[in-house]
Amino acid sequence: TGVVSVVEIGILGNVKADTSSITGGTLDGAQLTLTLHPGMFGTNISGTRVGNTIRLQSVDRDGRISSSIFTRGSISGFGTCADQLQQKSAIIKMNSNLSLQTRQFSQTAKDTEAWLQNAQLHASRIPTAEDNYNQIQDEMQKLVERERSTSDRGDRFQISLDVNQKRIDGDLFDIDVNQTWEWPIEDRLKTIAQQLENCVTTCNQRDAEKPGTEPTIKDQWESGCRNILAEQSNFQSIAQKVMEQRSELKTYQVNAKSLRETTVKQAEKLAQ
């Protein structure tokens, strides 16, 4: 009679406890059979008793066969073992958390590198974008000069329409440039910066220095912290430069748009 109590550590380090009531049983020499209220061991369990040791074989709820060894002890001894499992569980969880943090460091570094490559690529295209704006403006200006030298009013009106179409081309190019920058560059900038800051904050907590940390996990965590600190420094430097270039391009876009509007007004006046 009595109960069977089990305290164990699961795969993820969580402590699990379960209890089954013993409702009956037989002992024939060394052979032991127990009947339990359905629990972790099922209903019937058999085994042997030799001296102070009982060996039981059972089938759990998932159909797995396991062997359990029980030795004579005390309630206080069982409590001490349970406390030790709790301590072991805390260490397993701590090491698991450090491994997770290390993976987060690695992913953040990859995200940062991808952003930097994309940002630098777009920054390298700024001169081409400015050239495109200049080309549109040059074509508009040439059309206006041609309109000035055209005597037929109908022809001047058609040229004025062509000038306006060039203005529309410039506005559409504005949209393309802005869409290219907004999501992959500007919108992601704050996200990447926050991810890096979170990683640095985690590193500053020095969790890997706590007792019980596995040496391999500690080395990987510290290496990840060194990498993320270097990544943050590199990111801040390049991001500032790229966004300054982007700001200059925005100013260039505003000026180019204003110049296109002025040119259209000139063409419309000549068409009258």
Side-chain angles (χ1 to χ4, degrees):
T1 62
V3 296
V4 179
S5 297
V6 174
V7 179
E8 63 181 351
I9 295 179
I11 297 176
L12 300 179
N14 296 319
V15 175
K16 300 188 297 184
D18 203 349
T19 300
S20 293
S21 299
I22 301 174
T23 59
T26 61
L27 179 63
D28 183 7
Q31 299 299 313
L32 176 66
T33 300
L34 298 175
T35 302
L36 297 91
H37 182 74
M40 72 207 109
F41 294 117
T43 302
N44 295 301
I45 185 170
S46 61
T48 60
R49 188 198 73 173
V50 178
N52 290 330
T53 301
I54 293 176
R55 296 175 183 269
L56 299 175
Q57 279 198 334
S58 61
V59 179
D60 64 17
R61 294 166 178 168
D62 297 322
R64 294 188 298 264
I65 298 176
S66 61
S67 179
S68 302
I69 300 176
F70 297 81
T71 57
R72 185 181 297 278
S74 63
I75 294 177
S76 61
F78 181 81
T80 299
C81 289
D83 291 341
Q84 291 173 347
L85 285 184
Q86 292 283 1
Q87 295 172 4
K88 185 176 181 180
S89 169
I91 291 175
I92 291 175
K93 288 181 178 180
M94 179 184 68
N95 283 287
S96 176
N97 187 49
L98 289 172
S99 295
L100 176 61
Q101 291 175 358
T102 301
R103 291 194 295 272
Q104 290 174 337
F105 297 159
S106 177
Q107 185 59 52
T108 297
K110 290 179 181 178
D111 292 343
T112 303
E113 284 298 320
W115 186 93
L116 290 174
Q117 291 178 9
N118 196 20
Q120 289 175 305
L121 175 62
H122 283 74
S124 70
R125 293 172 176 169
I126 289 178
T128 301
E130 292 177 350
D131 288 344
N132 196 19
Y133 284 120
N134 292 336
Q135 182 180 350
I136 291 173
Q137 182 57 38
D138 288 344
E139 292 173 354
M140 291 177 70
Q141 199 61 48
K142 288 178 180 179
L143 286 170
V144 170
E145 294 301 325
R146 201 173 107 203
E147 187 179 2
R148 280 199 179 97
S149 62
T150 301
S151 58
D152 185 84
R153 185 175 181 181
D155 291 341
R156 291 200 307 272
F157 180 75
Q158 182 58 52
I159 294 174
S160 176
L161 292 178
D162 293 340
V163 172
N164 190 59
Q165 181 59 51
K166 290 295 180 181
R167 176 189 64 79
I168 294 174
D169 291 344
D171 291 346
L172 291 175
F173 186 62
D174 273 341
I175 295 174
D176 289 341
V177 171
N178 293 337
Q179 287 180 340
T180 299
W181 279 83
E182 282 173 1
W183 183 82
I185 306 300
E186 294 185 82
D187 284 2
R188 285 284 290 161
L189 173 64
K190 292 182 180 179
T191 300
I192 296 296
Q194 187 60 57
Q195 288 176 343
L196 288 167
E197 186 61 31
N198 291 342
C199 288
V200 170
T201 299
T202 299
C203 289
N204 290 336
Q205 293 173 353
R206 312 300 300 172
D207 289 339
E209 296 179 359
K210 294 179 180 179
T213 303
E214 295 181 14
T216 301
I217 291 178
K218 180 179 180 180
D219 290 343
Q220 292 173 347
W221 189 89
E222 290 179 342
S223 176
C225 282
R226 288 192 295 270
N227 290 338
I228 211 69
L229 287 170
E231 202 68 58
Q232 185 188 47
S233 177
N234 188 46
F235 171 80
Q236 290 173 339
S237 175
I238 295 178
Q240 180 178 356
K241 182 178 179 180
V242 168
M243 296 317 296
E244 286 174 354
Q245 292 174 305
R246 170 57 177 144
S247 179
E248 292 172 0
L249 177 58
K250 285 182 178 180
T251 300
Y252 200 95
Q253 286 178 288
V254 171
N255 293 335
K257 183 178 181 63
S258 177
L259 190 55
R260 289 196 302 271
E261 295 292 345
T262 299
T263 306
V264 167
K265 290 179 181 179
Q266 291 175 351
E268 289 175 345
K269 187 175 181 180
L270 290 172
Q272 293 175 357

